[in-house]
Amino acid sequence: MRLDRMLGNLPQGSRQLARHWLASGRIAVDGVRIADGCYPVTPFSRVTLDDQPIQTRQPRYFMLHKPGGYLSATSDPDHPTVMELLDDADSGQLHIAGRLDRASTGLLLLTDDGRWSRRLTEPERRVAKVYRVDTEDPIHPDTARRFAEGIYFDYEGITTRPVELQQLGPRQVRLTLFEGRYHQIKRMFGRFRNRVLSLHREQIGSLALDPDLAPGEYRPLTPAEVSALGD
Ligand code: URA
C-alpha cells in the first residue's frame, strides 16, 4: 500500500494531513525519513510521526484447518461455525476469505483486512484453489475433458472456467479451480451423476495447508505468506 493512503486512512489522519506530515519531514518508515507519498508500506512496516509510532490497527491473517461439520459463517443458529474454533481474542472482526461447504475440510483463510481478501477472491485475479475430491462412483473417462472445456451452469448462465484435473485413483482426483462458484465441484460432478463424498482444500494460490495443523487448529500467516497471497 502507498504510504500517503495508509496515513490518510488513520483515525487521526486525512489526505491533507498526510501530505503535510510527509512534506514537513515528520514521517519515518522503519527508521528512515520518507517524504514521498508513493513509498510502499506493508502492514508490518513501522511508521512513525515525530518519532512516535502511529496507531495503526495491525490487520490479522490466519489459516485454519477446517474440520467437516463446521459452517463457513460468522454465526449460525443451528450449526457450529468455524469462528467457534478460534480463541476469543482472535475471532472478533474476522471474516472468511473464500468459504468452504459445511462438510468440506481443509485450508480456510480468515482476516480482518477486507482489501486483502477481496484481492484474493476477485474472479479476475484467477487465484488457483486446489482440492482433493473423493467421489461415490468411478471418475467417468470424459470428466477431465469436460472440466477443461467448462460446464454450463443454467442458474448463473455462465460456463465455468477450465478446471485442471489430476487423477489420483479410480474415485479420487485433485482439481485446480480458478474461481469459486456456489457448490461448484459438487455441481460439476453432478453432471456425471457422481456424488462427491469428500472435498478437501489443499492450497490457495502459493499457500498450502500447513501439515502441522490438525483439523480444527489454526495459526497466523507469516508476513511472507500474507504478501505472497495479496500481491
Ligand atoms: N466446491 C464445492 O462444491 N464445495 C466446496 O466446499 C468448495 C468447492
PDB file of all heavy atoms in Angstrom, residues 106-142:
ATOM      1  N   GLY A 106     -10.249 -28.634   5.168  1.00  0.00           N
ATOM      2  CA  GLY A 106      -9.001 -28.122   4.601  1.00  0.00           C
ATOM      3  C   GLY A 106      -8.766 -26.649   4.842  1.00  0.00           C
ATOM      4  O   GLY A 106      -9.275 -26.060   5.798  1.00  0.00           O
ATOM      5  N   LEU A 107      -8.024 -26.062   3.915  1.00  0.00           N
ATOM      6  CA  LEU A 107      -7.475 -24.711   4.109  1.00  0.00           C
ATOM      7  C   LEU A 107      -8.556 -23.623   4.027  1.00  0.00           C
ATOM      8  O   LEU A 107      -9.220 -23.462   3.007  1.00  0.00           O
ATOM      9  CB  LEU A 107      -6.410 -24.453   3.029  1.00  0.00           C
ATOM     10  CG  LEU A 107      -5.778 -23.073   2.990  1.00  0.00           C
ATOM     11  CD1 LEU A 107      -5.086 -22.735   4.303  1.00  0.00           C
ATOM     12  CD2 LEU A 107      -4.784 -22.979   1.832  1.00  0.00           C
ATOM     13  N   LEU A 108      -8.674 -22.877   5.130  1.00  0.00           N
ATOM     14  CA  LEU A 108      -9.595 -21.747   5.171  1.00  0.00           C
ATOM     15  C   LEU A 108      -8.800 -20.550   5.677  1.00  0.00           C
ATOM     16  O   LEU A 108      -8.054 -20.677   6.654  1.00  0.00           O
ATOM     17  CB  LEU A 108     -10.748 -22.067   6.126  1.00  0.00           C
ATOM     18  CG  LEU A 108     -11.985 -21.199   6.013  1.00  0.00           C
ATOM     19  CD1 LEU A 108     -12.726 -21.491   4.707  1.00  0.00           C
ATOM     20  CD2 LEU A 108     -12.928 -21.454   7.181  1.00  0.00           C
ATOM     21  N   LEU A 109      -8.986 -19.400   5.027  1.00  0.00           N
ATOM     22  CA  LEU A 109      -8.258 -18.194   5.430  1.00  0.00           C
ATOM     23  C   LEU A 109      -9.210 -17.217   6.087  1.00  0.00           C
ATOM     24  O   LEU A 109     -10.333 -17.006   5.607  1.00  0.00           O
ATOM     25  CB  LEU A 109      -7.607 -17.545   4.201  1.00  0.00           C
ATOM     26  CG  LEU A 109      -6.559 -18.404   3.503  1.00  0.00           C
ATOM     27  CD1 LEU A 109      -6.076 -17.732   2.222  1.00  0.00           C
ATOM     28  CD2 LEU A 109      -5.387 -18.688   4.431  1.00  0.00           C
ATOM     29  N   LEU A 110      -8.762 -16.638   7.185  1.00  0.00           N
ATOM     30  CA  LEU A 110      -9.573 -15.670   7.925  1.00  0.00           C
ATOM     31  C   LEU A 110      -8.744 -14.409   8.142  1.00  0.00           C
ATOM     32  O   LEU A 110      -7.548 -14.501   8.417  1.00  0.00           O
ATOM     33  CB  LEU A 110      -9.974 -16.246   9.285  1.00  0.00           C
ATOM     34  CG  LEU A 110     -10.803 -17.507   9.185  1.00  0.00           C
ATOM     35  CD1 LEU A 110     -10.140 -18.646   9.927  1.00  0.00           C
ATOM     36  CD2 LEU A 110     -12.190 -17.272   9.728  1.00  0.00           C
ATOM     37  N   THR A 111      -9.387 -13.270   8.023  1.00  0.00           N
ATOM     38  CA  THR A 111      -8.676 -11.997   8.155  1.00  0.00           C
ATOM     39  C   THR A 111      -9.650 -10.900   8.538  1.00  0.00           C
ATOM     40  O   THR A 111     -10.869 -11.075   8.434  1.00  0.00           O
ATOM     41  CB  THR A 111      -7.984 -11.626   6.813  1.00  0.00           C
ATOM     42  OG1 THR A 111      -7.264 -10.411   6.982  1.00  0.00           O
ATOM     43  CG2 THR A 111      -8.988 -11.448   5.696  1.00  0.00           C
ATOM     44  N   ASP A 112      -9.090  -9.752   8.982  1.00  0.00           N
ATOM     45  CA  ASP A 112      -9.943  -8.563   9.120  1.00  0.00           C
ATOM     46  C   ASP A 112      -9.502  -7.506   8.105  1.00  0.00           C
ATOM     47  O   ASP A 112      -9.877  -6.345   8.219  1.00  0.00           O
ATOM     48  CB  ASP A 112      -9.911  -8.013  10.549  1.00  0.00           C
ATOM     49  CG  ASP A 112      -8.498  -7.751  11.039  1.00  0.00           C
ATOM     50  OD1 ASP A 112      -7.546  -7.900  10.258  1.00  0.00           O
ATOM     51  OD2 ASP A 112      -8.351  -7.388  12.216  1.00  0.00           O
ATOM     52  N   ASP A 113      -8.735  -7.906   7.116  1.00  0.00           N
ATOM     53  CA  ASP A 113      -8.252  -6.994   6.076  1.00  0.00           C
ATOM     54  C   ASP A 113      -9.073  -7.224   4.804  1.00  0.00           C
ATOM     55  O   ASP A 113      -8.800  -8.125   4.016  1.00  0.00           O
ATOM     56  CB  ASP A 113      -6.756  -7.288   5.843  1.00  0.00           C
ATOM     57  CG  ASP A 113      -6.141  -6.370   4.791  1.00  0.00           C
ATOM     58  OD1 ASP A 113      -6.891  -5.669   4.083  1.00  0.00           O
ATOM     59  OD2 ASP A 113      -4.907  -6.377   4.670  1.00  0.00           O
ATOM     60  N   GLY A 114     -10.098  -6.391   4.646  1.00  0.00           N
ATOM     61  CA  GLY A 114     -11.042  -6.582   3.541  1.00  0.00           C
ATOM     62  C   GLY A 114     -10.395  -6.410   2.180  1.00  0.00           C
ATOM     63  O   GLY A 114     -10.743  -7.089   1.221  1.00  0.00           O
ATOM     64  N   ARG A 115      -9.432  -5.505   2.107  1.00  0.00           N
ATOM     65  CA  ARG A 115      -8.777  -5.258   0.822  1.00  0.00           C
ATOM     66  C   ARG A 115      -8.007  -6.510   0.379  1.00  0.00           C
ATOM     67  O   ARG A 115      -8.050  -6.917  -0.771  1.00  0.00           O
ATOM     68  CB  ARG A 115      -7.806  -4.090   0.998  1.00  0.00           C
ATOM     69  CG  ARG A 115      -7.521  -3.344  -0.258  1.00  0.00           C
ATOM     70  CD  ARG A 115      -6.488  -2.325   0.019  1.00  0.00           C
ATOM     71  NE  ARG A 115      -7.038  -1.239   0.829  1.00  0.00           N
ATOM     72  CZ  ARG A 115      -6.783   0.028   0.577  1.00  0.00           C
ATOM     73  NH1 ARG A 115      -6.022   0.354  -0.430  1.00  0.00           N
ATOM     74  NH2 ARG A 115      -7.280   0.972   1.329  1.00  0.00           N
ATOM     75  N   TRP A 116      -7.338  -7.126   1.341  1.00  0.00           N
ATOM     76  CA  TRP A 116      -6.537  -8.332   1.055  1.00  0.00           C
ATOM     77  C   TRP A 116      -7.446  -9.474   0.614  1.00  0.00           C
ATOM     78  O   TRP A 116      -7.191 -10.149  -0.370  1.00  0.00           O
ATOM     79  CB  TRP A 116      -5.761  -8.702   2.315  1.00  0.00           C
ATOM     80  CG  TRP A 116      -4.828  -9.860   2.207  1.00  0.00           C
ATOM     81  CD1 TRP A 116      -3.553  -9.846   1.726  1.00  0.00           C
ATOM     82  CD2 TRP A 116      -5.077 -11.209   2.639  1.00  0.00           C
ATOM     83  NE1 TRP A 116      -2.996 -11.106   1.827  1.00  0.00           N
ATOM     84  CE2 TRP A 116      -3.907 -11.957   2.383  1.00  0.00           C
ATOM     85  CE3 TRP A 116      -6.173 -11.862   3.215  1.00  0.00           C
ATOM     86  CZ2 TRP A 116      -3.801 -13.312   2.684  1.00  0.00           C
ATOM     87  CZ3 TRP A 116      -6.064 -13.209   3.512  1.00  0.00           C
ATOM     88  CH2 TRP A 116      -4.895 -13.922   3.239  1.00  0.00           C
ATOM     89  N   SER A 117      -8.560  -9.683   1.337  1.00  0.00           N
ATOM     90  CA  SER A 117      -9.423 -10.821   0.987  1.00  0.00           C
ATOM     91  C   SER A 117     -10.142 -10.574  -0.330  1.00  0.00           C
ATOM     92  O   SER A 117     -10.376 -11.510  -1.093  1.00  0.00           O
ATOM     93  CB  SER A 117     -10.416 -11.143   2.106  1.00  0.00           C
ATOM     94  OG  SER A 117     -11.195 -10.041   2.398  1.00  0.00           O
ATOM     95  N   ARG A 118     -10.437  -9.311  -0.642  1.00  0.00           N
ATOM     96  CA  ARG A 118     -11.068  -9.030  -1.945  1.00  0.00           C
ATOM     97  C   ARG A 118     -10.111  -9.378  -3.080  1.00  0.00           C
ATOM     98  O   ARG A 118     -10.497  -9.984  -4.068  1.00  0.00           O
ATOM     99  CB  ARG A 118     -11.484  -7.556  -2.046  1.00  0.00           C
ATOM    100  CG  ARG A 118     -12.925  -7.313  -1.633  1.00  0.00           C
ATOM    101  CD  ARG A 118     -13.421  -5.968  -2.085  1.00  0.00           C
ATOM    102  NE  ARG A 118     -12.638  -4.884  -1.553  1.00  0.00           N
ATOM    103  CZ  ARG A 118     -12.712  -4.431  -0.312  1.00  0.00           C
ATOM    104  NH1 ARG A 118     -13.557  -4.971   0.540  1.00  0.00           N
ATOM    105  NH2 ARG A 118     -11.951  -3.439   0.101  1.00  0.00           N
ATOM    106  N   ARG A 119      -8.854  -8.992  -2.884  1.00  0.00           N
ATOM    107  CA  ARG A 119      -7.869  -9.299  -3.943  1.00  0.00           C
ATOM    108  C   ARG A 119      -7.772 -10.803  -4.166  1.00  0.00           C
ATOM    109  O   ARG A 119      -7.645 -11.279  -5.280  1.00  0.00           O
ATOM    110  CB  ARG A 119      -6.490  -8.744  -3.565  1.00  0.00           C
ATOM    111  CG  ARG A 119      -6.302  -7.285  -3.943  1.00  0.00           C
ATOM    112  CD  ARG A 119      -4.840  -6.942  -4.128  1.00  0.00           C
ATOM    113  NE  ARG A 119      -4.069  -7.178  -2.930  1.00  0.00           N
ATOM    114  CZ  ARG A 119      -3.951  -6.319  -1.929  1.00  0.00           C
ATOM    115  NH1 ARG A 119      -4.569  -5.156  -2.003  1.00  0.00           N
ATOM    116  NH2 ARG A 119      -3.234  -6.587  -0.865  1.00  0.00           N
ATOM    117  N   LEU A 120      -7.865 -11.536  -3.074  1.00  0.00           N
ATOM    118  CA  LEU A 120      -7.712 -12.986  -3.145  1.00  0.00           C
ATOM    119  C   LEU A 120      -8.900 -13.657  -3.847  1.00  0.00           C
ATOM    120  O   LEU A 120      -8.756 -14.684  -4.507  1.00  0.00           O
ATOM    121  CB  LEU A 120      -7.631 -13.485  -1.708  1.00  0.00           C
ATOM    122  CG  LEU A 120      -6.959 -14.772  -1.416  1.00  0.00           C
ATOM    123  CD1 LEU A 120      -5.516 -14.688  -1.861  1.00  0.00           C
ATOM    124  CD2 LEU A 120      -7.014 -15.035   0.090  1.00  0.00           C
ATOM    125  N   THR A 121     -10.071 -13.067  -3.672  1.00  0.00           N
ATOM    126  CA  THR A 121     -11.275 -13.724  -4.178  1.00  0.00           C
ATOM    127  C   THR A 121     -11.801 -13.088  -5.470  1.00  0.00           C
ATOM    128  O   THR A 121     -12.739 -13.610  -6.058  1.00  0.00           O
ATOM    129  CB  THR A 121     -12.389 -13.712  -3.096  1.00  0.00           C
ATOM    130  OG1 THR A 121     -12.515 -12.388  -2.589  1.00  0.00           O
ATOM    131  CG2 THR A 121     -12.061 -14.639  -1.945  1.00  0.00           C
ATOM    132  N   GLU A 122     -11.192 -11.980  -5.898  1.00  0.00           N
ATOM    133  CA  GLU A 122     -11.639 -11.339  -7.144  1.00  0.00           C
ATOM    134  C   GLU A 122     -11.521 -12.307  -8.306  1.00  0.00           C
ATOM    135  O   GLU A 122     -10.419 -12.827  -8.562  1.00  0.00           O
ATOM    136  CB  GLU A 122     -10.733 -10.142  -7.465  1.00  0.00           C
ATOM    137  CG  GLU A 122     -11.328  -8.814  -7.126  1.00  0.00           C
ATOM    138  CD  GLU A 122     -10.255  -7.735  -7.126  1.00  0.00           C
ATOM    139  OE1 GLU A 122      -9.172  -7.950  -7.714  1.00  0.00           O
ATOM    140  OE2 GLU A 122     -10.512  -6.697  -6.528  1.00  0.00           O
ATOM    141  N   PRO A 123     -12.619 -12.551  -9.045  1.00  0.00           N
ATOM    142  CA  PRO A 123     -12.553 -13.529 -10.133  1.00  0.00           C
ATOM    143  C   PRO A 123     -11.465 -13.195 -11.154  1.00  0.00           C
ATOM    144  O   PRO A 123     -10.800 -14.087 -11.668  1.00  0.00           O
ATOM    145  CB  PRO A 123     -13.931 -13.455 -10.773  1.00  0.00           C
ATOM    146  CG  PRO A 123     -14.810 -12.761  -9.790  1.00  0.00           C
ATOM    147  CD  PRO A 123     -13.940 -11.946  -8.885  1.00  0.00           C
ATOM    148  N   GLU A 124     -11.231 -11.890 -11.417  1.00  0.00           N
ATOM    149  CA  GLU A 124     -10.256 -11.528 -12.467  1.00  0.00           C
ATOM    150  C   GLU A 124      -8.839 -11.957 -12.089  1.00  0.00           C
ATOM    151  O   GLU A 124      -7.983 -12.117 -12.953  1.00  0.00           O
ATOM    152  CB  GLU A 124     -10.207  -9.996 -12.711  1.00  0.00           C
ATOM    153  CG  GLU A 124     -11.533  -9.334 -12.966  1.00  0.00           C
ATOM    154  CD  GLU A 124     -12.319  -9.144 -11.689  1.00  0.00           C
ATOM    155  OE1 GLU A 124     -11.793  -8.539 -10.749  1.00  0.00           O
ATOM    156  OE2 GLU A 124     -13.461  -9.635 -11.621  1.00  0.00           O
ATOM    157  N   ARG A 125      -8.572 -12.104 -10.809  1.00  0.00           N
ATOM    158  CA  ARG A 125      -7.191 -12.441 -10.423  1.00  0.00           C
ATOM    159  C   ARG A 125      -6.907 -13.931 -10.596  1.00  0.00           C
ATOM    160  O   ARG A 125      -5.775 -14.360 -10.578  1.00  0.00           O
ATOM    161  CB  ARG A 125      -6.917 -11.995  -8.988  1.00  0.00           C
ATOM    162  CG  ARG A 125      -6.874 -10.477  -8.901  1.00  0.00           C
ATOM    163  CD  ARG A 125      -6.217  -9.996  -7.647  1.00  0.00           C
ATOM    164  NE  ARG A 125      -4.808 -10.286  -7.614  1.00  0.00           N
ATOM    165  CZ  ARG A 125      -4.196 -10.939  -6.633  1.00  0.00           C
ATOM    166  NH1 ARG A 125      -4.882 -11.383  -5.616  1.00  0.00           N
ATOM    167  NH2 ARG A 125      -2.905 -11.146  -6.679  1.00  0.00           N
ATOM    168  N   ARG A 126      -7.957 -14.713 -10.752  1.00  0.00           N
ATOM    169  CA  ARG A 126      -7.806 -16.143 -11.056  1.00  0.00           C
ATOM    170  C   ARG A 126      -6.821 -16.849 -10.136  1.00  0.00           C
ATOM    171  O   ARG A 126      -5.898 -17.527 -10.587  1.00  0.00           O
ATOM    172  CB  ARG A 126      -7.358 -16.350 -12.501  1.00  0.00           C
ATOM    173  CG  ARG A 126      -8.387 -15.799 -13.452  1.00  0.00           C
ATOM    174  CD  ARG A 126      -7.961 -15.884 -14.885  1.00  0.00           C
ATOM    175  NE  ARG A 126      -8.949 -15.158 -15.673  1.00  0.00           N
ATOM    176  CZ  ARG A 126      -9.580 -15.645 -16.710  1.00  0.00           C
ATOM    177  NH1 ARG A 126      -9.335 -16.856 -17.112  1.00  0.00           N
ATOM    178  NH2 ARG A 126     -10.464 -14.938 -17.352  1.00  0.00           N
ATOM    179  N   VAL A 127      -7.007 -16.649  -8.842  1.00  0.00           N
ATOM    180  CA  VAL A 127      -6.142 -17.332  -7.879  1.00  0.00           C
ATOM    181  C   VAL A 127      -6.512 -18.823  -7.887  1.00  0.00           C
ATOM    182  O   VAL A 127      -7.688 -19.180  -7.786  1.00  0.00           O
ATOM    183  CB  VAL A 127      -6.340 -16.732  -6.468  1.00  0.00           C
ATOM    184  CG1 VAL A 127      -5.535 -17.507  -5.432  1.00  0.00           C
ATOM    185  CG2 VAL A 127      -5.955 -15.258  -6.468  1.00  0.00           C
ATOM    186  N   ALA A 128      -5.503 -19.677  -8.009  1.00  0.00           N
ATOM    187  CA  ALA A 128      -5.763 -21.125  -8.095  1.00  0.00           C
ATOM    188  C   ALA A 128      -6.154 -21.675  -6.726  1.00  0.00           C
ATOM    189  O   ALA A 128      -5.560 -21.311  -5.713  1.00  0.00           O
ATOM    190  CB  ALA A 128      -4.509 -21.828  -8.599  1.00  0.00           C
ATOM    191  N   LYS A 129      -7.155 -22.556  -6.724  1.00  0.00           N
ATOM    192  CA  LYS A 129      -7.526 -23.264  -5.490  1.00  0.00           C
ATOM    193  C   LYS A 129      -7.477 -24.755  -5.796  1.00  0.00           C
ATOM    194  O   LYS A 129      -8.054 -25.194  -6.793  1.00  0.00           O
ATOM    195  CB  LYS A 129      -8.920 -22.869  -5.028  1.00  0.00           C
ATOM    196  CG  LYS A 129      -8.948 -21.454  -4.515  1.00  0.00           C
ATOM    197  CD  LYS A 129     -10.342 -20.949  -4.325  1.00  0.00           C
ATOM    198  CE  LYS A 129     -10.389 -19.442  -4.485  1.00  0.00           C
ATOM    199  NZ  LYS A 129     -10.657 -18.999  -5.842  1.00  0.00           N
ATOM    200  N   VAL A 130      -6.782 -25.489  -4.953  1.00  0.00           N
ATOM    201  CA  VAL A 130      -6.545 -26.906  -5.231  1.00  0.00           C
ATOM    202  C   VAL A 130      -7.327 -27.755  -4.224  1.00  0.00           C
ATOM    203  O   VAL A 130      -7.227 -27.525  -3.005  1.00  0.00           O
ATOM    204  CB  VAL A 130      -5.031 -27.219  -5.147  1.00  0.00           C
ATOM    205  CG1 VAL A 130      -4.772 -28.686  -5.487  1.00  0.00           C
ATOM    206  CG2 VAL A 130      -4.239 -26.309  -6.079  1.00  0.00           C
ATOM    207  N   TYR A 131      -8.081 -28.713  -4.744  1.00  0.00           N
ATOM    208  CA  TYR A 131      -8.936 -29.570  -3.914  1.00  0.00           C
ATOM    209  C   TYR A 131      -8.648 -31.041  -4.193  1.00  0.00           C
ATOM    210  O   TYR A 131      -8.432 -31.420  -5.345  1.00  0.00           O
ATOM    211  CB  TYR A 131     -10.417 -29.353  -4.238  1.00  0.00           C
ATOM    212  CG  TYR A 131     -10.932 -27.971  -3.980  1.00  0.00           C
ATOM    213  CD1 TYR A 131     -10.810 -26.975  -4.949  1.00  0.00           C
ATOM    214  CD2 TYR A 131     -11.545 -27.652  -2.771  1.00  0.00           C
ATOM    215  CE1 TYR A 131     -11.290 -25.694  -4.713  1.00  0.00           C
ATOM    216  CE2 TYR A 131     -12.026 -26.373  -2.539  1.00  0.00           C
ATOM    217  CZ  TYR A 131     -11.898 -25.405  -3.508  1.00  0.00           C
ATOM    218  OH  TYR A 131     -12.372 -24.146  -3.275  1.00  0.00           O
ATOM    219  N   ARG A 132      -8.691 -31.851  -3.135  1.00  0.00           N
ATOM    220  CA  ARG A 132      -8.683 -33.309  -3.316  1.00  0.00           C
ATOM    221  C   ARG A 132     -10.123 -33.780  -3.123  1.00  0.00           C
ATOM    222  O   ARG A 132     -10.771 -33.416  -2.142  1.00  0.00           O
ATOM    223  CB  ARG A 132      -7.757 -33.948  -2.281  1.00  0.00           C
ATOM    224  CG  ARG A 132      -7.285 -35.331  -2.655  1.00  0.00           C
ATOM    225  CD  ARG A 132      -6.370 -35.919  -1.614  1.00  0.00           C
ATOM    226  NE  ARG A 132      -7.021 -35.968  -0.313  1.00  0.00           N
ATOM    227  CZ  ARG A 132      -6.551 -35.373   0.772  1.00  0.00           C
ATOM    228  NH1 ARG A 132      -5.428 -34.699   0.745  1.00  0.00           N
ATOM    229  NH2 ARG A 132      -7.203 -35.440   1.910  1.00  0.00           N
ATOM    230  N   VAL A 133     -10.601 -34.543  -4.089  1.00  0.00           N
ATOM    231  CA  VAL A 133     -12.023 -34.874  -4.110  1.00  0.00           C
ATOM    232  C   VAL A 133     -12.207 -36.392  -4.202  1.00  0.00           C
ATOM    233  O   VAL A 133     -11.578 -37.037  -5.050  1.00  0.00           O
ATOM    234  CB  VAL A 133     -12.717 -34.215  -5.333  1.00  0.00           C
ATOM    235  CG1 VAL A 133     -14.212 -34.459  -5.314  1.00  0.00           C
ATOM    236  CG2 VAL A 133     -12.425 -32.725  -5.396  1.00  0.00           C
ATOM    237  N   ASP A 134     -13.043 -36.957  -3.347  1.00  0.00           N
ATOM    238  CA  ASP A 134     -13.410 -38.376  -3.439  1.00  0.00           C
ATOM    239  C   ASP A 134     -14.852 -38.469  -3.887  1.00  0.00           C
ATOM    240  O   ASP A 134     -15.720 -37.737  -3.389  1.00  0.00           O
ATOM    241  CB  ASP A 134     -13.283 -39.046  -2.068  1.00  0.00           C
ATOM    242  CG  ASP A 134     -11.838 -39.139  -1.635  1.00  0.00           C
ATOM    243  OD1 ASP A 134     -11.113 -39.969  -2.201  1.00  0.00           O
ATOM    244  OD2 ASP A 134     -11.428 -38.351  -0.753  1.00  0.00           O
ATOM    245  N   THR A 135     -15.101 -39.366  -4.841  1.00  0.00           N
ATOM    246  CA  THR A 135     -16.450 -39.489  -5.369  1.00  0.00           C
ATOM    247  C   THR A 135     -17.016 -40.887  -5.093  1.00  0.00           C
ATOM    248  O   THR A 135     -16.269 -41.829  -4.840  1.00  0.00           O
ATOM    249  CB  THR A 135     -16.474 -39.234  -6.894  1.00  0.00           C
ATOM    250  OG1 THR A 135     -15.601 -40.172  -7.507  1.00  0.00           O
ATOM    251  CG2 THR A 135     -16.055 -37.831  -7.245  1.00  0.00           C
ATOM    252  N   GLU A 136     -18.339 -40.980  -5.185  1.00  0.00           N
ATOM    253  CA  GLU A 136     -19.005 -42.245  -4.896  1.00  0.00           C
ATOM    254  C   GLU A 136     -18.705 -43.290  -5.981  1.00  0.00           C
ATOM    255  O   GLU A 136     -18.336 -44.423  -5.705  1.00  0.00           O
ATOM    256  CB  GLU A 136     -20.509 -41.991  -4.837  1.00  0.00           C
ATOM    257  CG  GLU A 136     -21.309 -43.157  -4.348  1.00  0.00           C
ATOM    258  CD  GLU A 136     -22.715 -42.699  -3.974  1.00  0.00           C
ATOM    259  OE1 GLU A 136     -23.414 -42.135  -4.851  1.00  0.00           O
ATOM    260  OE2 GLU A 136     -23.097 -42.890  -2.808  1.00  0.00           O
ATOM    261  N   ASP A 137     -18.811 -42.854  -7.231  1.00  0.00           N
ATOM    262  CA  ASP A 137     -18.601 -43.775  -8.355  1.00  0.00           C
ATOM    263  C   ASP A 137     -17.250 -43.494  -9.018  1.00  0.00           C
ATOM    264  O   ASP A 137     -16.695 -42.400  -8.852  1.00  0.00           O
ATOM    265  CB  ASP A 137     -19.718 -43.591  -9.396  1.00  0.00           C
ATOM    266  CG  ASP A 137     -21.070 -43.954  -8.811  1.00  0.00           C
ATOM    267  OD1 ASP A 137     -21.123 -44.944  -8.052  1.00  0.00           O
ATOM    268  OD2 ASP A 137     -22.037 -43.224  -9.078  1.00  0.00           O
ATOM    269  N   PRO A 138     -16.758 -44.443  -9.809  1.00  0.00           N
ATOM    270  CA  PRO A 138     -15.504 -44.190 -10.521  1.00  0.00           C
ATOM    271  C   PRO A 138     -15.626 -42.942 -11.399  1.00  0.00           C
ATOM    272  O   PRO A 138     -16.704 -42.639 -11.929  1.00  0.00           O
ATOM    273  CB  PRO A 138     -15.324 -45.451 -11.369  1.00  0.00           C
ATOM    274  CG  PRO A 138     -16.128 -46.502 -10.686  1.00  0.00           C
ATOM    275  CD  PRO A 138     -17.290 -45.796 -10.048  1.00  0.00           C
ATOM    276  N   ILE A 139     -14.507 -42.233 -11.528  1.00  0.00           N
ATOM    277  CA  ILE A 139     -14.490 -40.991 -12.318  1.00  0.00           C
ATOM    278  C   ILE A 139     -14.702 -41.363 -13.791  1.00  0.00           C
ATOM    279  O   ILE A 139     -13.978 -42.194 -14.347  1.00  0.00           O
ATOM    280  CB  ILE A 139     -13.116 -40.270 -12.176  1.00  0.00           C
ATOM    281  CG1 ILE A 139     -12.723 -40.089 -10.703  1.00  0.00           C
ATOM    282  CG2 ILE A 139     -13.086 -38.973 -12.967  1.00  0.00           C
ATOM    283  CD1 ILE A 139     -13.498 -39.092  -9.910  1.00  0.00           C
ATOM    284  N   HIS A 140     -15.688 -40.744 -14.403  1.00  0.00           N
ATOM    285  CA  HIS A 140     -16.010 -41.013 -15.813  1.00  0.00           C
ATOM    286  C   HIS A 140     -14.833 -40.580 -16.691  1.00  0.00           C
ATOM    287  O   HIS A 140     -14.235 -39.520 -16.446  1.00  0.00           O
ATOM    288  CB  HIS A 140     -17.283 -40.234 -16.172  1.00  0.00           C
ATOM    289  CG  HIS A 140     -17.849 -40.590 -17.497  1.00  0.00           C
ATOM    290  ND1 HIS A 140     -17.322 -40.117 -18.673  1.00  0.00           N
ATOM    291  CD2 HIS A 140     -18.898 -41.379 -17.830  1.00  0.00           C
ATOM    292  CE1 HIS A 140     -18.018 -40.593 -19.686  1.00  0.00           C
ATOM    293  NE2 HIS A 140     -18.984 -41.372 -19.190  1.00  0.00           N
ATOM    294  N   PRO A 141     -14.486 -41.377 -17.729  1.00  0.00           N
ATOM    295  CA  PRO A 141     -13.325 -41.026 -18.560  1.00  0.00           C
ATOM    296  C   PRO A 141     -13.421 -39.652 -19.227  1.00  0.00           C
ATOM    297  O   PRO A 141     -12.404 -39.067 -19.590  1.00  0.00           O
ATOM    298  CB  PRO A 141     -13.286 -42.139 -19.624  1.00  0.00           C
ATOM    299  CG  PRO A 141     -14.264 -43.175 -19.206  1.00  0.00           C
ATOM    300  CD  PRO A 141     -15.113 -42.651 -18.093  1.00  0.00           C
ATOM    301  N   ASP A 142     -14.643 -39.134 -19.417  1.00  0.00           N
ATOM    302  CA  ASP A 142     -14.801 -37.823 -20.073  1.00  0.00           C
ATOM    303  C   ASP A 142     -14.621 -36.645 -19.116  1.00  0.00           C
ATOM    304  O   ASP A 142     -14.675 -35.481 -19.542  1.00  0.00           O
ATOM    305  CB  ASP A 142     -16.229 -37.702 -20.627  1.00  0.00           C
ATOM    306  CG  ASP A 142     -16.267 -38.092 -22.083  1.00  0.00           C
ATOM    307  OD1 ASP A 142     -15.179 -38.365 -22.628  1.00  0.00           O
ATOM    308  OD2 ASP A 142     -17.382 -38.138 -22.630  1.00  0.00           O
TER     309      ASP A 142
END
